């Protein structure tokens, strides 16, 4: 059984990471979409750097929850037959033990140099304009995919969607594309599709099966079923 699992902000909510929909998606009075764009970074890099420095500090204070742990357990069962595709830029999946994972919208713990184009681990607050460890220029930006930018690894994701037998979406509102369209690609390739979310999302009608409730409860019980079904 080949499985693709798409996760969104909802899987990290019970760890204490605010979702985009929480608080109306506002940050210091900014609509998130206003600070997560290349135009915003061009216009006011300090505000954008402070936005991501604050999120990086916050994520370091929290831990994975039973939903992250359950997906790591599922990977131990399925190995390469499971691919986790996350829209999240936190590292909670990895801290729970997931290894077969794609961060399609980037990684909060990485920086991208706008001078030499190379990536590096963030070792200081980017608001302090630390030098790029490779070229020395002070032109680092967060290694995240902003609105209007191309998500990462779409070729790897597409290949997995076309080959999977089951597609699950966990903790995502289905408001952002191309991620919100993955269920259509998987369904068209014959996969069984399931939504695991606190409440109905913008794409609920597109799924074969829907389970609503907190991820920390619905994900472990779903993983138990998948593992039992295999044996
Ligand atoms: C692109 C990184 C060209 C930065 C992010 C088609 C139609 C309309 C618009 C578009 C379209 N195609 C492209 C667009 C434009 C745009 C877009 O989608 N705009 C939206 C606003 C309409 N998309 C883009 O710009 C993308 N790039 O299109 O490039 C292209 C063209 C063709 C093919 C390829 C490429 C790039 C988008 C990426 C932007 N970067 N993040 C950062 O994090 O700061 S997006 C960011 O917002 C997240 O990564 C995530 O993707 C999204 C938030 O969504 P969710 O994760 O789902 O979170 P949300 O808060 O919305 O919902 C949480 C859910 O969890 C809720 O349903 C809630 O009920 C549930 N929940 C809450 N608690 C729990 C829970 N569930 C379970 N348990 C709980 N405890």
């Amino acid at each position: 059984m080949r499985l693709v699992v798409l996760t969104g902000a909802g899987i990290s909510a019970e760890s204490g990471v605010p979702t985009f929909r929480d608080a109306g998606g506002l940050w210091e009075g900014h609509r998130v979409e206003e600070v997560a764009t290349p135009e915003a970074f061009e216009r006011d890099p300090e505000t954008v750097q402070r936005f991501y420095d604050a999120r990086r500090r916050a994520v370091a204070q929290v831990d994975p929850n039973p939903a992250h742990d359950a997906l790591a357990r599922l990977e131990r069962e399925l190995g390469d037959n499971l691919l986790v595709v996350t829209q999240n830029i936190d590292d909670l999946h990895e801290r729970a033990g997931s290894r077969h994972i794609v961060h399609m919208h980037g990684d909060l713990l990485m920086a991208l140099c706008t001078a030499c184009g190379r990536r590096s681990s963030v070792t200081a607050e980017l608001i302090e304009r630390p030098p790029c460890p490779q070229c020395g220029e002070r032109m680092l930006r967060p290694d995240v995919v902003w609105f209007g930018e191309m998500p990462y690894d779409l070729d790897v994701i597409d290949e997995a969607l076309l080959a999977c037998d089951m597609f699950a979406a966990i903790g995502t509102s289905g408001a952002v594309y191309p991620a919100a369209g993955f269920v259509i690609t998987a369904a068209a390739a014959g996969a069984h599709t399931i939504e695991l979310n606190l409440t109905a999302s913008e794409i609920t009608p597109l799924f074969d099966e829907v389970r609503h409730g907190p991820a920390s409860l619905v994900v472990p019980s779903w993983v138990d079923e998948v593992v039992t079904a295999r044996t």
Side-chain angles (χ1 to χ4, degrees):
M1 156 122 83
R2 281 157 302 178
L3 207 51
V4 174
V5 174
L6 173 69
T7 67
I11 199 170
S12 295
E14 293 164 86
S15 293
V17 181
T19 70
F20 285 66
R21 301 278 161 263
D22 282 346
L26 282 178
W27 181 77
E28 286 191 357
H30 299 279
R31 281 211 56 69
V32 169
E33 283 86 356
E34 278 161 25
V35 282
T37 65
E39 295 76 21
F41 188 63
E42 194 64 37
R43 194 175 51 241
D44 179 1
E46 275 74 31
T47 296
V48 173
Q49 296 286 29
R50 267 187 310 109
F51 174 55
Y52 288 98
D53 285 343
R55 288 171 67 183
R56 197 174 303 109
R57 282 195 304 275
V59 163
Q61 306 305 316
V62 302
D63 294 316
N65 65 59
H68 298 106
D69 298 338
L71 291 182
R73 178 162 56 87
L74 187 57
E75 183 179 312
R76 289 192 291 277
E77 288 285 332
L78 297 183
D80 292 353
N81 287 328
L82 170 67
L83 178 67
V84 174
V85 177
T86 189
Q87 300 168 80
N88 302 342
I89 60 177
D90 65 53
D91 64 336
L92 297 178
H93 281 299
E94 285 86 349
R95 279 200 261 147
S98 288
R99 291 294 169 270
H100 214 229
I101 181 162
V102 169
H103 280 265
M104 71 177 291
H105 292 162
D107 182 344
L108 203 46
L109 304 187
M110 296 298 286
L112 177 63
C113 179
T114 58
C116 73
R118 286 177 284 189
R119 289 179 171 78
S120 56
S121 299
V122 172
T123 54
E125 303 253 308
L126 295 187
I127 191 93
E128 292 156 17
R129 300 177 62 76
C132 165
Q134 274 110 0
C135 75
E137 293 290 335
R138 296 178 178 281
M139 303 280 289
L140 296 177
R141 60 165 270 186
D143 182 23
V144 298
V145 175
W146 285 325
F147 288 93
E149 295 184 325
M150 186 67 80
Y152 294 154
D153 300 318
L154 286 179
D155 51 346
V156 171
I157 297 168
D158 260 1
E159 194 186 325
L161 290 170
L162 294 172
C164 71
D165 308 294
M166 188 185 284
F167 172 80
I170 301 173
T172 185
S173 61
V176 171
Y177 288 77
F182 291 168
V183 59
I184 296 169
T185 307
H192 175 74
T193 60
I194 181 169
E195 178 181 69
L196 304 162
N197 216 50
L198 188 64
T199 59
S201 73
E202 297 184 17
I203 52 176
T204 295
L206 300 176
F207 289 84
D208 299 318
E209 192 182 345
V210 173
R211 300 192 189 171
H212 289 156
S216 65
L217 297 179
V218 293
V219 176
S221 60
W222 171 68
V223 165
D224 291 344
E225 277 175 38
V226 171
V227 170
T228 313
R230 283 185 72 248
T231 49

